[in-house]
Amino acid sequence: MKKYSVMKSRNTHPKRGKRIILETIQILNRHGYCTLGEAFNRLDFSSAIQDIRRFNYVVKLLQLIAKSQLTSLSGVAQKNYFSILDKIVQKVLDDHQNPRLIKDLLQDLSSTLCILVRGVGKSVLVGNSNIWVCRLETVLAWQQQLQNLQMTKQVNDGLTLSDLPLHMLNNILYRFSDGWDIVTLGQVTPTLSALSEDRQLWKRLCQYHFAEKQFCRHLIVSEKGHVEWKLMYFVLEKHYPTREQYGDTLHFCRHCSILFWKDSGHPCTAADPDSCFMPVSPQHFIDLFRF
């Protein structure tokens, strides 16, 4: 579940933003982060996935690597990548949380592997091609396991979601930032189904994720003259990226030259530590090794 509210990122001038990235790359290189694989291996993502605040961040990072950076990983980094992915899949199979996120990740990964193994092959792959075929088979097996995943219903005599008053249920729905989560929750009870169709809810979701000029380009109006905000959300989602939001993110301290999780804190010795901290989104993390 993602909370609806989020702090807006600061607007950075393009030239200043690029300069900061280049300075960050130089510092990372001096401290052993010369490649994406080296940085990926040195950060403890295996422990991070056990923290619900960091889980989505790591999954998004793995998905971005699967889409475009898989061939840039060294043999050791590849092994680490698939080891972490294995732990993620097993975690989802055990606790039944976030299956859709992992299904999306595995779909992107399997598509990339199919192209590399069948189309490009040895010219770009690090390691024996048979290993990559085995990895593809493993990914396909994971996909089948998740497809067969049955959500078990835990029965207890305590307070249930259905016992909550309408205004609290509505408040829960308004705290979701993912339209698919709202649709899924709406399937739980008839009451939630009715609340999940609220036009104002979907309007706010569109306004949260997309600029006004974007949803004006894809305006969908019903026969009665009402804007179809729910339908518009899913149309816009196909054309534009949604705003990303994580419970905890990696940050980089320019004074101490280290990467750290924000919620873990960092005892920086600078006079003004906050001015030295720079948030690093999953895409930003990837971009640091593209220059």
Side-chain angles (χ1 to χ4, degrees):
M1 181 185 299
K2 301 178 183 178
K3 291 187 177 179
Y4 191 78
S5 58
V6 65
M7 183 181 296
K8 294 182 178 179
S9 58
R10 297 177 181 176
N11 292 324
T12 305
H13 190 277
K15 290 185 178 179
R16 181 174 181 272
K18 185 174 182 178
R19 177 176 58 80
I20 292 175
I21 290 178
L22 292 174
E23 289 175 355
T24 305
I25 293 171
Q26 293 172 355
I27 296 172
L28 287 173
N29 288 342
R30 289 201 300 269
H31 288 77
Y33 296 93
C34 296
T35 67
L36 174 63
E38 290 169 347
F40 187 76
N41 288 335
R42 292 186 61 179
L43 295 169
D44 190 11
F45 290 127
S46 292
S47 298
I49 63 173
Q50 303 303 323
D51 189 327
I52 192 172
R53 299 165 301 169
R54 301 169 184 173
F55 183 85
N56 288 8
Y57 184 100
V58 177
V59 170
K60 182 64 176 181
L61 179 58
L62 294 184
Q63 188 172 21
L64 291 173
I65 292 175
K67 287 182 176 180
S68 62
Q69 299 296 309
L70 200 59
T71 56
S72 69
L73 298 181
S74 66
V76 175
Q78 291 170 15
K79 186 176 180 180
N80 192 20
Y81 178 95
F82 282 94
S83 174
I84 294 173
L85 185 54
D86 180 38
K87 292 177 181 178
I88 289 176
V89 173
Q90 298 310 316
K91 184 178 187 301
V92 172
L93 291 173
D94 290 339
D95 61 25
H96 295 182
Q97 294 184 19
N98 299 302
R100 183 170 56 81
L101 287 177
I102 312 308
K103 288 179 181 179
D104 291 344
L105 164 58
L106 293 179
Q107 181 59 47
D108 289 333
L109 181 57
S110 63
S111 298
T112 299
L113 288 176
C114 284
I115 293 172
L116 293 176
V117 172
R118 298 174 184 174
V120 182
K122 299 179 181 179
S123 61
V124 296
L125 296 177
V126 176
N128 190 295
S129 59
N130 291 330
I131 294 177
W132 286 95
V133 172
C134 290
R135 285 171 176 164
L136 175 57
E137 292 175 349
T138 299
V139 171
L140 295 176
W142 284 337
Q143 288 180 298
Q144 189 61 50
Q145 286 179 289
L146 290 172
Q147 192 67 31
N148 297 334
L149 181 64
Q150 298 292 327
M151 296 297 185
T152 57
K153 181 179 180 181
Q154 296 182 351
V155 180
N156 57 63
D157 298 327
L159 187 69
T160 66
L161 196 63
S162 300
D163 297 322
L164 296 177
L166 288 178
H167 74 275
M168 292 187 67
L169 292 174
N170 199 47
N171 190 36
I172 290 173
L173 285 168
Y174 269 81
R175 290 184 177 275
F176 281 97
S177 62
D178 190 314
W180 288 107
D181 289 337
I182 294 175
V183 171
T184 301
L185 187 59
Q187 296 172 350
V188 175
T189 66
T191 300
L192 284 168
S193 177
L195 292 174
S196 68
E197 296 296 329
D198 180 20
R199 291 180 62 254
Q200 189 64 26
L201 169 66
W202 291 98
K203 178 180 179 180
R204 289 189 60 178
L205 203 61
C206 286
Q207 293 174 333
Y208 174 76
H209 284 291
F210 310 108
E212 183 176 354
K213 62 180 180 181
Q214 291 175 333
F215 55 75
C216 282
R217 289 196 193 111
H218 301 275
L219 193 64
I220 303 174
V221 181
S222 68
E223 294 180 357
K224 296 182 180 180
H226 298 148
V227 177
E228 298 284 358
W229 292 105
K230 180 180 178 180
L231 182 57
M232 277 181 55
Y233 171 83
F234 291 106
V235 171
L236 289 165
E237 189 185 39
K238 294 179 180 179
H239 290 85
Y240 309 104
T242 55
R243 181 185 294 186
E244 294 182 21
Q245 179 178 344
Y246 307 100
D248 193 10
T249 61
L250 281 176
H251 275 57
F252 177 74
C253 177
R254 292 194 292 272
H255 179 75
C256 303
S257 306
I258 66 168
L259 286 163
F260 65 96
W261 291 100
K262 181 182 179 183
D263 283 0
S264 296
H266 164 55
C268 183
T269 58
D272 184 12
D274 289 343
S275 65
C276 302
F277 298 165
M278 180 177 69
V280 181
S281 69
Q283 184 61 62
H284 187 186
F285 185 90
I286 298 293
D287 291 340
L288 288 174
F289 302 93
R290 283 181 172 172
F291 281 81

